[in-house]
Amino acid sequence: QSQEQLEVRSIKDHQKELFVWLGFLDLNMAIILILMLIIGIINMGSALLVMILVRTNFIGVMKSIGANNWTIQKLFVVQGGRLILKGMIWGNLIGVGLSLLQIQFGILKLDPKVYYLTQVPIYLDPFKLIVLNGLTLVICVLALLIPSIVITRISPAKAIRFR
């Protein structure tokens, strides 16, 4: 009887390039999420500045009747937070809805000769989705505190005359 020598190797050792490439996909996802967060912060900051500019007269009246800067800032940050939450709800409804359609019906097809798959695979992790949404909301609301500092520079007398 002849005994054959077998060599046992991990697939990660055998297909190193493939796993390096898959690692880059995770990096790309992180970069895209960070860019989306930055864009969201910039957009909400500019929206809050527009809301403050439009309501300068209101800010002047509130200051003249004794409201302090922090109270007025909280009003605008909460209003901005509501806008963020509304946008996140719509975004999640559309994104998760499209993902569920793909999972159920496989709308986006792939060439199995190239990708070894017949459709685009999607995995939804509810925990990650909730954590991502929660962190996004908290970071964006905290970022709204920076443009709300403009309120501290508004003089009540000038603001009431401003129309």
Side-chain angles (χ1 to χ4, degrees), residues 70-104:
W70 176 238
T71 303
I72 300 170
Q73 281 178 281
K74 280 194 302 188
L75 286 171
F76 283 96
V77 170
V78 167
Q79 194 173 20
R82 285 184 183 152
L83 281 174
I84 293 169
L85 194 58
K86 186 177 178 181
M88 286 176 65
I89 289 170
W90 276 107
N92 279 303
L93 284 174
I94 293 169
V96 172
L98 289 173
S99 296
L100 290 174
L101 283 173
Q102 176 63 23
I103 290 169
Q104 187 68 32

Side-chain angles (χ1 to χ4, degrees), residues 139-159:
I139 291 170
C140 285
V141 168
L142 288 176
L144 288 181
L145 292 174
I146 296 168
S148 73
I149 293 173
V150 170
I151 292 170
T152 63
R153 300 181 188 267
I154 296 176
S155 162
K158 290 179 182 177

Side-chain angles (χ1 to χ4, degrees), residues 30-49:
I31 291 171
I32 289 170
L33 288 175
I34 290 169
L35 286 174
M36 288 172 59
L37 185 62
I38 290 169
I39 290 168
I41 288 170
I42 291 170
N43 284 337
M44 280 312 303
S46 61
L48 186 66
L49 287 173

Side-chain angles (χ1 to χ4, degrees), residues 7-26:
E7 182 182 346
V8 178
R9 290 193 306 172
S10 156
I11 190 163
K12 287 186 178 182
D13 294 334
H14 186 64
Q15 298 287 334
K16 253 185 190 161
E17 298 83 18
L18 178 66
F19 285 95
V20 168
W21 179 75
L22 288 172
F24 283 130
L25 289 178
D26 291 339

Side-chain angles (χ1 to χ4, degrees), residues 78-136:
V78 167
Q79 194 173 20
R82 285 184 183 152
L83 281 174
I84 293 169
L85 194 58
K86 186 177 178 181
M88 286 176 65
I89 289 170
W90 276 107
N92 279 303
L93 284 174
I94 293 169
V96 172
L98 289 173
S99 296
L100 290 174
L101 283 173
Q102 176 63 23
I103 290 169
Q104 187 68 32
F105 301 110
I107 297 167
L108 300 174
K109 304 288 184 194
L110 294 174
D111 183 6
K113 293 175 188 170
V114 177
Y115 296 103
Y116 304 106
L117 297 167
T118 57
Q119 64 188 29
V120 174
I122 292 184
Y123 171 70
L124 287 176
D125 184 353
F127 177 74
K128 286 182 180 177
L129 195 63
I130 291 168
V131 168
L132 182 64
N133 279 299
L135 283 174
T136 300

